[in-house]
């Protein structure tokens, strides 16, 4: 079972980033520029990501080195330009993006997701959090340096724990506030400074549902580029099913049987809920659970 | 086997953070202030973390709500003051801190680690990365808001994958540049935007050692508060032992037998290397491997 947003065929070629001469050598007429309209990707006639040349980037644009595409036996350097504005909105209310995610080839989705996260980070970090001075792109886009105090800043990835909680053969799933009627997923939350994954899982599940869990185990991980999460998929057991819901965050929390979940995955009209989108790690976790 | 920096007995009481009235109600004469000297903790006569009252904080200091200490049946609110300066240095060159880590009780180490990460984040994020304006502490210290453009900023936790690479019953360990002679640990690196944990592990190990790995599995996680990492401990297999070392980052990479590792953990004079500090997850990973 493949995880969405993984499997990019671009080699990040970390050694190039810190070598200004080598990096400059790659910024030639052969280099490829990922074509973006703001944070949205452009597609070519076959529905793949569209690539241009560095000449297609606005003159003043900062360029991020995504890595080297080695797939054709060649060594094509891949770049993306930092757009004027980023987007910190954690959830996508953008139907265009949902339909794009459903149709883009898996390796293209991985390239797009990674590029989106990093150019968005640049667009929202033009100033130094330490002194308020201007920052400029460094190390091929994997760093920003303050032009005033000299502080270095690094792209951000926020770990999120998302957990299937099981009891007596049933799974606890929740519907967040503002989600469409019937759409349920696994409970999730950011792992905070000072927590292990397992502690973060237990805290988040208890905060949202009042349910105490035990025996947390790791299942799988994938990136989620809205804006830049590392989704850490886990499984845990609860000792009982009594829910005390956090009504500031959640609209509903319910326990579903295996039959309920099978019906949701079959898209049956009788299914008591809609499964998460295909690209969400929650979908992967539920498939993993059904296949166990 | 306990993981260091975990097991804090302070309940983060997330529901209090977003409730200004409730939070204000806790900021009374009974509230406890974690005593810090810069980012270093003060200790009481019994070697435990020293706590004062909110009156001990500098008048202008921003206060972070750490949570509620429920251990004595009471409900003591715990705070820490943001120091004038933070410290982005990833490794600790501070012998005082090493000896402190070795003697502090595990639950105190967890409280201190979490508090250190969050107050350090505040001290290094007084300005808005989006517009350069002043920011001020919000939600009990789990957010900063820009007073100019209104952007919200959240504490940062950087996921780091650290991996025991095994082949033919041996483990590959490395000595970073600038590390003391003989000190070896598991290879590690930040998980980047657009990567799963498993992809980050494979990339980092290949970058540093030239070794290709397979069958990555998750072992355990713990926080590391210098400044705020989530250490994600993994195990993987290599197909061969031929190392091509990245000399910009590493001083030595060697393969060690089970006997070598047992000798290092026994502190034998004949041991071919020194094990990592007790509080590092690498130590936990090697113990886990020896016990397998």
């Amino acid at each position: 079972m493949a995880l969405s947003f993984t499997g990019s065929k671009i080699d990040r070629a970390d050694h190039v980033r810190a070598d200004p001469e080598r990096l400059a050598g790659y910024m030639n007429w052969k280099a490829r520029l990922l074509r973006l309209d703001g944070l949205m990707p452009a597609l070519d006639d076959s529905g793949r990501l569209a690539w241009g040349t560095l000449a297609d980037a606005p003159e003043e644009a900062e360029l991020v080195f995504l890595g080297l595409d080695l797939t054709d036996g060649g060594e094509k350097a891949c770049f993306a330009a930092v757009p004027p504005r980023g987007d910190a909105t954690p959830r996508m209310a953008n139907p265009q993006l949902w339909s794009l995610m459903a149709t883009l080839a898996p390796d293209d989705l991985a390239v797009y997701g990674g590029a989106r996260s990093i150019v968005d980070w640049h667009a929202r970090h033009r100033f130094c959090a330490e002194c308020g001075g201007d920052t400029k792109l460094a190390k091929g886009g994997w760093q920003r340096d303050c032009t005033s105090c000299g502080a270095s800043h690094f792209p951000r990835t926020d770990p999120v724990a998302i957990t299937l909680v099981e009891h007596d053969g049933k799974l606890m799933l929740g519907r967040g506030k503002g989600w469409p009627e019937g759409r349920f997923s696994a409970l999730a939350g950011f792992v905070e400074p000072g927590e292990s994954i397992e502690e973060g899982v237990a805290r988040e599940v208890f905060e949202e549902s009042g349910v105490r869990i035990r025996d947390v185990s790791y299942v799988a991980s994938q990136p989620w580029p809205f804006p830049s999460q590392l989704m850490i998929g886990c499984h845990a057991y609860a000792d009982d099913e009594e829910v005390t819901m956090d009504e500031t965050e959640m609209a509903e929390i319910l326990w579903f049987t295996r039959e309920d979940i099978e019906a949701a995955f079959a898209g049956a009209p009788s299914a008591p809920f809609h499964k998460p989108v295909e690209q969400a790690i929650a979908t992967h976790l539920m498939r993993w659970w059904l296949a166990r």
Side-chain angles (χ1 to χ4, degrees), chain A:
Chain A
M1 288 183 290
L3 287 147
S4 293
F5 298 104
T6 68
S8 164
K9 292 189 177 126
I10 294 179
D11 180 327
R12 290 173 181 245
D14 168 78
H15 56 285
V16 173
R17 300 175 185 171
D19 183 338
E21 265 182 61
R22 215 160 155 190
L23 185 59
Y26 279 120
M27 296 178 82
N28 57 22
W29 59 272
K30 285 191 294 187
R32 292 161 36 138
L33 182 81
L34 180 67
R35 289 190 45 216
L36 293 170
D37 176 13
L39 289 171
M40 289 297 290
L43 301 185
D44 67 18
D45 292 343
S46 57
R48 303 286 312 218
L49 289 176
W51 294 84
T53 70
L54 296 191
D56 297 322
E59 196 141 340
E60 298 293 296
E62 293 182 310
L63 294 176
V64 174
F65 173 64
L66 301 176
L68 299 173
D69 182 347
L70 311 167
T71 45
D72 305 333
E75 196 184 56
K76 286 192 208 104
C78 299
F79 292 84
V82 176
R85 265 192 306 278
D87 182 4
T89 319
R91 282 188 201 106
M92 300 164 299
N94 185 338
Q96 199 193 345
L97 196 48
W98 286 109
S99 81
L100 180 96
M101 288 209 308
T103 56
L104 214 52
D107 57 330
D108 270 359
L109 193 59
V111 168
Y112 168 63
R116 178 184 169 114
S117 286
I118 185 116
V119 298
D120 171 72
W121 176 78
H122 282 284
R124 293 189 294 111
H125 289 77
R126 292 199 161 95
F127 297 89
C128 175
E130 289 197 41
C131 81
D134 290 329
T135 60
K136 63 170 204 296
L137 182 147
K139 299 219 170 145
W142 294 87
Q143 189 171 316
R144 292 189 77 83
D145 291 336
C146 179
T147 58
S148 178
C149 75
S152 292
H153 302 279
F154 302 95
R156 170 170 181 150
T157 307
D158 294 308
V160 170
I162 176 162
T163 313
L164 286 185
V165 178
E166 175 170 354
H167 181 258
D168 199 15
K170 295 198 278 294
L171 288 185
M172 180 172 73
L173 302 176
R175 182 165 76 85
K177 272 206 159 174
W179 292 17
E181 197 70 31
R183 171 84 74 188
F184 280 76
S185 186
L187 302 189
F190 291 100
V191 180
E192 295 190 345
E195 283 182 327
S196 66
I197 293 169
E198 293 74 8
E199 288 179 324
V201 163
R203 178 185 51 76
E204 274 293 337
V205 169
F206 182 72
E207 278 172 16
E208 294 182 0
S209 70
V211 170
R212 294 286 183 195
I213 56 162
R214 58 182 164 75
D215 299 333
V216 179
S217 60
Y218 169 86
V219 179
S221 68
Q222 70 170 54
W224 184 249
F226 310 103
S228 185
Q229 278 91 267
L230 172 63
M231 304 301 297
I232 304 172
C234 299
H235 173 272
Y237 288 97
D239 283 325
D240 64 67
E241 294 172 20
E242 198 181 317
V243 169
T244 310
M245 191 173 72
D246 172 5
E247 299 191 357
T248 62
E249 279 201 46
M250 304 303 296
E252 285 178 275
I253 293 179
L254 296 172
W255 290 88
F256 295 102
T257 63
R258 167 174 286 271
E259 290 68 37
D260 293 337
I261 292 161
E262 280 168 348
F265 273 71
S270 65
F273 74 99
H274 303 300
K275 76 166 194 65
V277 292
E278 196 57 33
Q279 294 72 29
I281 195 170
T283 296
H284 180 91
L285 295 175
M286 291 183 210
R287 279 222 179 85
W288 164 87
W289 186 78
L290 286 174
R292 265 219 304 190

